[in-house]
Amino acid sequence: MKKGVIARPWTDAEHRRMLKMKAEGHKWPAIGAALGRTEYAVAARYREHASDGGISRNVRKAQSEAFIARQAIYDLPPRSLTAEFFGDPLPGRSALDRRNAKPESRSISLAEHA
């Protein structure tokens, strides 16, 4: 969008008309002209809001991933008041826990076998 240009908010009537015209097989330039918008604005609106209740796939995916991550934190055992207050890391998330969780790596020295 050009600097200084303010996009007009979409009304429900415009959105429904855009969906109807697209279902009838109209092209983006014709839909844009009928609605007084650019073909790019109409196409972007369709991509973002047309399918699955008006929420784009990317937004739905981000919301579901955030929900799963948040639910995993809620499922952990409760932390003490001081741990909450001072921001102690969750169990298994501290640097010490991570270091202790790594399997031991064994190195082989070729000097011993020569």
Side-chain angles (χ1 to χ4, degrees):
M1 185 182 316
K2 292 181 183 178
K3 187 175 182 179
V5 175
I6 299 173
R8 204 174 71 236
W10 282 78
T11 64
D12 289 338
E14 286 177 318
H15 185 78
R16 284 192 301 273
R17 185 172 180 200
M18 174 197 61
L19 294 176
K20 181 181 176 196
M21 290 180 75
K22 183 63 178 166
E24 292 171 352
H26 294 278
K27 302 291 182 192
W28 295 128
I31 297 171
L35 296 174
R37 295 180 181 271
T38 66
E39 63 183 278
Y40 305 106
V42 175
R45 175 73 178 196
Y46 183 81
R47 273 194 315 275
E48 291 296 319
H49 300 280
S51 62
D52 298 325
I55 300 176
S56 72
R57 285 183 290 266
N58 293 338
V59 171
R60 277 194 313 281
K61 183 178 178 185
Q63 287 174 344
S64 65
E65 288 172 355
F67 176 77
I68 291 168
R70 191 171 42 247
Q71 193 60 39
I73 292 172
Y74 290 147
D75 291 340
L76 292 173
R79 300 189 314 170
S80 69
L81 179 61
T82 55
E84 288 288 335
F85 182 78
F86 289 108
D88 294 348
L90 297 169
R93 297 288 191 122
S94 71
L96 183 61
D97 289 342
R98 290 181 192 176
R99 188 178 74 190
N100 291 338
K102 288 184 180 178
E104 247 183 70
S105 62
R106 295 185 152 191
S107 62
I108 299 173
S109 172
L110 297 176
E112 295 175 9
H113 297 288

